[in-house]
Amino acid sequence: MTTLNEQDFRRAMSHFATGVAVVTAKGSEGEQGATISALTSVSLDPLLLLICLHRGSSTYKAIAEAGRFGLSILNNSHKDVAMLFASRTADKFGSDVVVRAEDGIAFIDGALVQMHCELVETFQGGTHALFMAKPTSITVRDEAPLLYFQGQLGIEA
């Protein structure tokens, strides 16, 4: 074993394959969205999930202000969508990949899962925050997921 450092830790964690999702929220600075791979279920009773975002991101601020967010779990054809929402481009929402629920929350069209979430609690963890949330509505489609493994998107399931 080696002495642990940031580079070694990042490399080790890259060996954990994850799904890819987009979170969206509207705060005082307008509509924001980000690509995430840090997402997990927490509890079935009550229903709870956890997402993780950098505390300096505009999406973190929007979720903290709004107290709710949209979660879209991406399918294997959404690699370009994941890259768009991972970028700092200003016009993520002008694209035809975004659809809106009746309440205005933005979701990714054709996502495996579209889930409305209400913020329950926020935890600080170094440079990041963990948002615990409860889902309030869910739409599910059965298709192949977009996976993230060793820094690459679109690894076959």
Side-chain angles (χ1 to χ4, degrees), residues 20 35 76 78-79 82-83 146-149 151-155:
V20 182
T35 299
N76 200 35
H78 283 136
K79 184 176 179 179
M83 296 305 293
L146 179 62
L147 297 179
Y148 183 68
F149 180 70
Q152 300 295 314
L153 283 171
I155 307 302

Side-chain angles (χ1 to χ4, degrees), residues 35-102:
T35 299
I36 65 167
S37 59
L39 160 67
T40 191
S41 61
V42 173
S43 172
L44 293 176
D45 186 19
L47 297 176
L48 293 171
L49 61 85
L50 193 71
I51 66 168
C52 183
L53 286 167
H54 193 281
R55 291 192 341 222
S57 77
S58 57
T59 306
Y60 160 82
K61 293 172 189 167
I63 292 173
E65 290 173 3
R68 64 186 189 141
F69 59 92
L71 173 69
S72 299
I73 300 176
L74 303 183
N75 72 44
N76 200 35
S77 71
H78 283 136
K79 184 176 179 179
D80 291 341
V81 174
M83 296 305 293
L84 172 66
F85 278 85
S87 74
R88 296 183 187 253
T89 185
D91 192 17
K92 296 176 182 178
F93 296 92
S95 159
D96 61 355
V97 301
V98 174
V99 294
R100 297 193 188 287
E102 288 181 15

